Amino acid sequence: MNYQQYFPVDVVNGPGTRATLFVSGCEHQCRGCYNQSTWNPAAGHLFDAAMVEQIITDLQDTRIVRRGLSLSGGDPLYPHNVAQILALVKRVKHECPDKDIWLWSGYRLDELSTVQRQVLHYVDVLVDGKFEQSLADPSLRFRGSSNQVIHHFKQ
């Protein structure tokens, strides 16, 4: 798996101060997507053990307290990404149990495969659905278009 960008401190992609990872790879290729550079799964940087360690370290940092981890892209649930995303969210929940995990995916909840659904056992909030340019609304919180749904799995 590759990633396009990592923000150790982010206040836009989810509530509170967060660490945010934008993965590479997306088959949806939504018209009007603001993050087209993430579509190619080979784009960006290799997601390796050092990046996982950096995320864990940042989430455990007491100088800049983060509420949680946000996973976006591209698409974290892109089939090529699922195994590494699953390993990451398991580790975050094990080592940082007080942190929440938000995940954005173009796949709708009812479209997810069994393997993709395994990731959701560790995710607190899923924002699902493709970005629809005709339904775009900048006033929406944490989603780009009105067809996208915010699913709260854990409070």
Side-chain angles (χ1 to χ4, degrees):
M1 178 177 90
N2 280 14
Y3 70 98
Q4 192 70 28
Q5 286 187 297
Y6 171 65
F7 295 104
V9 178
D10 180 17
V11 295
V12 176
N13 295 289
T17 303
R18 317 185 62 73
T20 299
L21 179 70
F22 288 91
V23 301
S24 298
C26 184
E27 65 185 350
H28 308 298
Q29 300 186 2
C30 303
R31 187 168 177 250
C33 174
Y34 76 95
N35 224 355
Q36 293 180 20
S37 63
T38 66
W39 291 357
N40 181 345
H45 316 277
L46 180 64
F47 185 78
D48 58 11
M51 187 73 249
V52 173
E53 292 304 321
Q54 186 63 56
I55 291 169
I56 297 296
T57 298
D58 291 339
L59 289 172
Q60 293 175 339
D61 185 357
T62 57
R63 296 168 301 146
I64 302 173
V65 177
R66 290 138 178 109
R67 179 170 169 173
L69 174 65
S70 292
L71 299 169
S72 190
D75 197 323
L77 297 181
Y78 177 70
H80 180 73
N81 295 339
V82 172
Q84 286 192 278
I85 291 295
L86 179 58
L88 174 62
V89 295
K90 281 182 176 180
R91 182 145 177 222
V92 168
K93 283 300 183 178
H94 176 74
E95 295 186 36
C96 310
D98 60 325
K99 306 301 180 186
D100 65 11
I101 299 174
W102 281 54
L103 186 147
W104 280 258
S105 178
Y107 302 99
R108 289 191 333 265
L109 183 59
D110 64 351
E111 297 174 324
L112 297 179
S113 70
T114 302
V115 176
Q116 289 169 318
R117 284 182 178 274
Q118 289 177 7
V119 173
L120 300 184
H121 294 294
Y122 304 92
V123 168
D124 298 273
V125 177
L126 168 69
V127 182
D128 78 348
K130 297 176 188 175
F131 172 74
E132 298 286 342
Q133 192 168 26
S134 64
L135 300 174
D137 183 347
S139 71
L140 294 172
R141 200 155 181 221
F142 305 130
R143 55 197 178 121
S145 57
S146 60
N147 62 297
Q148 295 172 311
V149 177
I150 300 174
H151 301 275
H152 293 270
F153 300 124
K154 301 170 183 122
Q155 294 299 329

